[in-house]
Amino acid sequence: MTAQIALITGANKGIGFETARLLGREGMTVLIGARSAGLGEEAAAALGGEGIDARFVHLDVTDPATIEAAAKRIESEHGRLDVLVNNAGIAPAAGWAAPSATSVETMREVYETNVFGVVAVTNAMLPLVRRSPAGRIVNVSSGLGSLAAMSDPSGEFFPMNTLAYPSSKTAVNALTVAYAKDLADTPIKVNAADPGYCATDMNGHAGSRTPVQGATEVFLLATLDDDGPTGAFQGGGEQPGRPLSW
């Protein structure tokens, strides 16, 4: 059998890059989805230097033309897609203001990438994932998307009360459940991963976990056995793969 094919969005750095590395080490062909050709090619070359079959695919999750072109290229070159990791996400500084100080424009900007981008890419790639004998879709979420965690006065996230990024990840969790239900009669599994608070460009490298640790949560869901869960939310850092509250 030919190598499995995995597409990771936003894979030129951080958790996306480390996810590509982990999947590549398993023998998968990893497609490095990135907006920047320069950064995407550089990431693919770096992984290639480690003996990983990594290839840059131009993909901006907010640009329908690049999504369509990427799907056509994958179909032409590989004929199917075994793993889709929806990793691309943003958290602009304006989005961390108090809810009452957050503009609609900021909400639209965050949702365009973090939520609508997931729907656009998933719908475009799903015909290819259906051709896989055991497709896996992983949506990179966050503990900040857990309504249970955010509303628990004794929890670590309770003091954080911002609107854009946390609510976008709550929406990603809802998308995960909806796609899992939609695909319940197929071999495809759809799950959400919480990488935990990782040191990445998104937070100025202030996170307490490494991108590799965060990518491990994604990797576990991307490589699930046939008896693994679907429609699940897991990760968070304390124990790899632990179930989380919605």
Side-chain angles (χ1 to χ4, degrees):
M1 181 179 176
T2 59
Q4 287 188 301
I5 312 300
L7 170 66
I8 305 99
T9 65
N12 59 282
K13 62 181 180 178
I15 295 167
F17 179 79
E18 296 299 341
T19 297
R21 173 180 273 148
L22 290 175
L23 294 175
R25 285 176 177 172
E26 287 294 298
M28 294 189 192
T29 294
V30 289
L31 308 179
I32 307 298
R35 291 179 296 177
S36 165
L39 295 176
E41 294 283 9
E42 183 179 330
L47 293 177
E50 300 176 15
I52 292 171
D53 184 5
R55 311 176 191 186
F56 164 64
V57 173
H58 183 217
L59 179 57
D60 179 343
V61 303
T62 68
D63 182 352
T66 70
I67 297 172
E68 180 181 1
K72 289 181 176 178
R73 175 181 166 185
I74 296 169
E75 179 175 26
S76 173
E77 295 182 1
H78 306 287
R80 72 178 195 282
L81 186 62
D82 299 289
V83 174
L84 169 62
V85 177
N86 287 306
N87 167 74
I90 62 170
W96 295 106
S100 56
T102 301
S103 69
V104 172
E105 289 73 20
T106 295
M107 292 294 291
R108 287 198 179 104
E109 179 187 3
V110 172
Y111 271 60
E112 195 67 45
T113 295
N114 295 7
V115 182
F116 305 145
V118 172
V119 175
V121 172
T122 300
N123 287 350
M125 301 299 165
L126 197 49
L128 296 170
V129 179
R130 288 182 182 274
R131 297 179 188 173
S132 171
R136 302 289 182 260
I137 299 174
V138 185
N139 298 325
V140 177
S141 184
S142 168
L144 297 177
S146 167
L147 294 178
M150 292 292 280
S151 60
D152 179 5
S154 64
E156 62 176 315
F157 296 142
F158 189 78
M160 182 175 292
N161 190 28
T162 60
L163 199 56
Y165 184 80
S167 71
S168 76
K169 292 304 183 179
T170 303
V172 166
N173 288 350
L175 295 179
T176 300
V177 171
Y179 277 108
K181 290 165 65 177
D182 191 26
L183 298 167
D185 61 348
T186 78
I188 301 170
K189 297 182 183 298
V190 188
N191 294 290
D194 172 18
Y197 189 37
C198 298
T200 65
D201 286 354
M202 183 178 288
N203 55 42
H205 296 270
S208 57
R209 306 190 80 211
T210 68
V212 176
Q213 289 174 310
T216 298
E217 303 289 1
V218 182
F219 173 82
L220 291 173
L221 290 172
T223 57
L224 282 174
D225 293 334
D226 291 343
D227 59 354
T230 190
F233 179 31
Q234 66 180 47
E238 291 182 11
Q239 176 184 345
R242 73 182 178 109
L244 299 176
S245 300
W246 296 107

